[in-house]
Amino acid sequence: MKDNTCQKKMGLVEKLGVHLEAREQLAPVAARILAYVILTGKRGATFEDMVSILCASKSTISTHLNHLQDLSKIEYFTKTGDRKKYFVINKDTIIQHVDRMISHWQEEHEIHLEIKEYKEKQNALKIENEEDKFDLDFHNVYMKFIDEASSSVKELREKLINNQFKI
């Protein structure tokens, strides 16, 4: 059973790693390290575990760990009487990602609002045939979606900031 769990975790490390590599523009090994740290959770992942499990050299793991720390994506803690560092996800990384999502959606909302206003003017001023007029329903529905999604993500952000999750 333990082997099955380990295989599942490593499959998820790879899948999440590919996702993070593209989304965060990270090197493949850095993305796998970040994925492994995320999936290891709050008990933390040690340097030795990562060298062994991710099958990369010590220098490669060390270089990418330092880079991820420089980017504030991960942080570490130590345990009394133990010289090892235990790496965990930096909660601020999640908040930064949420902030980027909110900003992106605000930009999209503003663009759709401008497009909708332009189309409304065109419909009123220049287009006489009803069949040729712009349909504005898509913009209304899409902006409503953006508003609702943004509201949910803002709520998530507040919960993260107020430490309502034990990440």
Side-chain angles (χ1 to χ4, degrees):
M1 180 141 147
K2 194 168 189 171
D3 286 340
N4 188 29
T5 302
C6 188
Q7 283 180 332
K8 198 167 217 160
K9 181 177 182 178
M10 293 317 296
L12 275 172
V13 165
E14 184 61 26
K15 191 173 191 173
L16 180 57
V18 169
H19 173 75
L20 292 170
E21 187 179 335
R23 186 184 87 189
E24 302 293 327
Q25 293 154 358
L26 294 171
V29 174
R32 294 336 176 265
I33 290 171
L34 186 57
Y36 183 77
V37 168
I38 289 168
L39 292 171
T40 300
K42 56 187 167 186
R43 72 178 167 90
T46 66
F47 174 81
E48 294 78 12
D49 288 344
M50 288 183 255
V51 169
S52 170
I53 292 170
L54 298 175
C55 301
S57 70
K58 289 181 178 182
S59 63
T60 299
I61 296 291
S62 179
T63 298
H64 290 293
L65 275 174
N66 288 331
H67 180 63
L68 289 168
Q69 288 176 88
D70 290 343
L71 294 173
S72 297
K73 298 209 179 284
I74 61 172
E75 56 192 12
Y76 71 87
F77 65 90
T78 57
K79 297 177 182 178
T80 306
D82 188 351
R83 294 177 47 191
K84 292 180 182 179
K85 293 179 179 178
Y86 294 85
F87 295 92
V88 292
I89 189 77
N90 182 346
K91 183 181 76 167
D92 291 340
T93 297
I94 301 167
I95 293 169
Q96 291 165 4
H97 175 65
V98 167
D99 287 343
R100 285 192 306 265
M101 286 172 54
I102 292 168
S103 176
H104 172 78
W105 285 343
Q106 285 172 335
E107 288 176 26
E108 278 205 40
H109 187 278
E110 289 169 15
I111 289 170
H112 276 273
L113 187 59
E114 279 186 57
I115 292 169
K116 181 182 167 217
E117 288 170 356
Y118 168 81
K119 288 179 176 182
E120 284 173 335
K121 284 183 183 177
Q122 294 302 306
N123 282 351
L125 297 175
K126 297 192 177 192
I127 303 174
E128 294 174 12
N129 186 354
E130 281 299 313
E131 291 178 7
D132 294 337
K133 288 190 176 188
F134 288 108
D135 181 2
L136 304 174
D137 288 340
F138 168 74
H139 298 289
N140 293 329
V141 170
Y142 192 68
M143 287 187 301
K144 181 180 178 203
F145 161 76
I146 289 173
D147 291 342
E148 290 171 357
S150 294
S151 178
S152 291
V153 172
K154 287 175 184 173
E155 182 181 327
L156 171 66
R157 184 184 189 282
E158 286 305 310
K159 288 180 179 180
L160 284 165
I161 289 171
N162 294 326
N163 293 314
Q164 292 183 359
F165 301 112
K166 304 286 187 227
I167 297 176

